[in-house]
Amino acid sequence: MLEHISTDDGTIAVDVTGAGPLVVLAHGMGDSRHAYRFVVPQLVAAGYRVANVDVRGCGDSSATWPSYQRTDIARDLVAVVRHLGGPAVVVGQSISGGAATIAAATAPDVVVGIVELAPFTRKQGVDLVGLLRNKHHRAGTLQLAKVMTTGSLAGWMAYLDVAVPTKPVDWTQERDRIETTLQQPERMAALRAMTKTSPADAGAHLADVRCPVLVVEGSADPDWADPRAEGLRVIGDLTEGLGELAVIDGAGHYPHTETPDQVVALLLPFLRRTVGAGTADTTGTTGPRA
């Protein structure tokens, strides 16, 4: 069931499926709730109510917003949880991973756990050594720079080809869908604005988080020369004992799309410990992988 939740600056589209404890899914920049197409059925089958969000500027949410900072996205996610009735675990990828941190820190009454998939949650510096040594990191960084500086659609599509090393079976159609969406000037403007945001606001809140945190990195993520090291830095900025790190071998920046079964296998024990057991104890399958 697709709902539209009104905020002061626009509407957030949320597709709500299933019954049971609440799990909120938030995708990364330039994407939509469709990114979780392989994850949602498995969580619903395991007995969870899944709220799959189109973050501001994306999917069926309003196209134009005054700001795209992680603080703004976090405010939207908290509004979704309160509208649907928490508590909830918030799962955020990339920019939304940082937003999940802020949501947990600012709304501990309704956010009882967060999962950060390939998150940009800390202020980033330029890793010159990593750029020189890691050609995939260098290639991804170059294409993102093109998007940031010129709004290059070709740059974004080239970035995705590097960032998704394990292609899902429907990648040709999915790639076409993303490209068609970003041909809309307002959607590309939202993506470009997101590339210019800093995760410093999220990093400043890491020490304020009081709920359990699961960070999931892909070992082949081109956004960092060493994704595991970045994940450990996020965990290290949390209160001791709150965070845990999992690294999926061979996955890139979109593990929920590339290796959904492995992501769900990590999610289910975490959900049981935080928001509670689902009404079923089975998971579906995503079919063969390419």
Side-chain angles (χ1 to χ4, degrees):
M1 181 177 65
L2 186 64
E3 298 187 30
H4 288 85
I5 299 174
S6 297
T7 73
D8 291 340
D9 297 315
T11 59
I12 298 295
V14 186
D15 192 6
V16 184
T17 315
L22 181 62
V23 183
V24 175
L25 307 178
H27 59 81
M29 63 179 72
D31 213 333
S32 75
R33 66 183 190 274
H34 200 248
Y36 288 102
R37 61 196 179 279
F38 301 127
V39 171
V40 170
Q42 298 196 57
L43 294 182
V44 170
Y48 290 95
R49 180 168 55 130
V50 181
N52 197 6
V53 177
D54 281 326
V55 304
R56 54 174 56 201
C58 301
D60 289 314
S61 292
S62 299
T64 304
W65 297 73
S67 175
Y68 297 91
Q69 300 290 335
R70 286 155 182 78
T71 297
D72 304 307
I73 297 171
R75 192 179 305 114
D76 299 336
L77 296 177
V78 171
V80 168
V81 176
R82 294 196 188 283
H83 174 80
L84 295 176
V89 165
V90 175
V91 181
Q93 186 253 340
S94 196
I95 191 172
S96 291
T101 294
I102 300 171
T106 57
D109 57 320
V110 292
V111 179
V112 296
I114 58 174
V115 180
E116 304 194 15
L117 306 175
F120 275 95
T121 305
R122 299 171 58 260
K123 184 177 180 179
Q124 303 292 304
V126 178
D127 183 358
L128 293 177
V129 174
L131 287 170
L132 289 173
R133 293 181 176 177
N134 187 324
K135 66 178 181 179
H136 299 292
H137 179 45
R138 187 166 63 250
T141 300
L142 174 63
Q143 299 304 331
L144 284 177
K146 291 180 182 178
V147 179
M148 181 186 299
T149 56
T150 69
S152 170
L153 177 56
W156 182 252
M157 302 314 296
Y159 164 75
L160 289 180
D161 285 338
V162 177
V164 186
T166 305
K167 303 295 192 286
V169 291
D170 64 347
W171 180 239
T172 298
Q173 299 94 321
E174 182 65 5
R175 192 181 188 281
D176 288 346
R177 185 191 65 78
I178 293 170
E179 186 172 24
T180 298
T181 298
L182 291 176
Q183 287 172 350
Q184 302 173 43
E186 65 275 18
R187 299 299 182 184
M188 174 53 75
L191 167 58
R192 189 179 179 189
M194 288 183 190
T195 67
K196 296 179 180 180
T197 62
S198 167
D201 58 347
H205 280 287
L206 280 168
D208 301 323
V209 173
R210 294 292 177 265
C211 66
V213 179
L214 171 63
V215 176
V216 180
E217 302 280 5
S219 69
D221 191 334
D223 283 9
W224 295 277
D226 187 343
R228 176 184 290 275
E230 177 62 21
L232 289 173
R233 285 189 283 267
V234 173
I235 298 296
D237 286 342
L238 294 164
T239 298
E240 186 175 357
L242 284 184
E244 58 181 305
L245 172 66
V247 180
I248 299 177
D249 188 43
H253 195 59
Y254 298 84
H256 52 307
T257 296
E258 301 171 67
T259 56
D261 293 344
Q262 293 183 63
V263 169
V264 171
L266 293 167
L267 282 176
L268 291 180
F270 183 83
L271 293 176
R272 287 193 288 267
R273 294 196 307 269
T274 51
V275 78
T279 56
D281 193 25
T282 60
T283 59
T285 61
T286 61
R289 314 304 299 162

